[in-house]
Amino acid sequence: MFALASLFAIAYLAATILPFSSELVLAGLLAEGSHAPLLLFLAASLGNILGSVTNYGLGRLCLHWQHHRWFPVSEDALGKAQTWFQRYGQWSLLLAWVPVIGDPLTLAAGVLKVRFSLFLLLVSLSKMSRYAVIIGLFEQI
């Protein structure tokens, strides 16, 4: 159970700006062979998705300061960005699994008020697909 909890925690942290690699931990646990791949998939996916939800929440939280002079984005620019992201950019959340760009995308989705149900669907598909591919490739070896 410790291994599953550790994978969950590392996958959660990997979805933030912290430099963790849940894929390596997942591969190590798969190689060890003492845990069912489905349980590993669920632990990694849930942790990583919840990490992205945290980023989304942080993005929404930062909006509380948008009316302060020091806030780095004008209200007009934020409105334009929100309109563009909702029209075209929300589908970019399917790239939430990609290292380096995925985490800022999930934060931007919160700042730009992407509908949470759509956010959760797209990010979940993205994150779960990555882990399914890793497990599938590992099973082929």
Side-chain angles (χ1 to χ4, degrees), residues 48 50 53 60 66 120 138:
N48 213 241
L50 288 177
V53 168
R60 292 297 299 259
Q66 76 182 31
L120 189 59
F138 198 87

Side-chain angles (χ1 to χ4, degrees), residues 44-107:
S45 295
L46 187 58
N48 213 241
I49 291 166
L50 288 177
S52 292
V53 168
T54 300
N55 288 345
Y56 178 90
L58 290 172
R60 292 297 299 259
L61 248 172
C62 86
L63 288 176
H64 291 287
W65 295 287
Q66 76 182 31
H67 299 295
H68 289 84
R69 274 192 338 212
W70 50 263
F71 192 74
V73 181
S74 73
E75 199 168 324
D76 186 49
L78 189 60
K80 286 178 184 176
Q82 184 175 5
T83 300
W84 182 88
F85 195 83
Q86 287 178 339
R87 183 175 295 151
Y88 306 109
Q90 59 197 10
W91 299 108
S92 67
L93 289 170
L94 289 170
L95 299 174
W97 67 272
V98 177
V100 181
I101 67 164
D103 303 336
L105 281 174
T106 60
L107 187 71

Side-chain angles (χ1 to χ4, degrees), residues 101-118:
I101 67 164
D103 303 336
L105 281 174
T106 60
L107 187 71
V111 170
L112 299 173
K113 298 180 183 177
V114 170
R115 195 173 72 241
F116 183 74
S117 58
L118 179 63

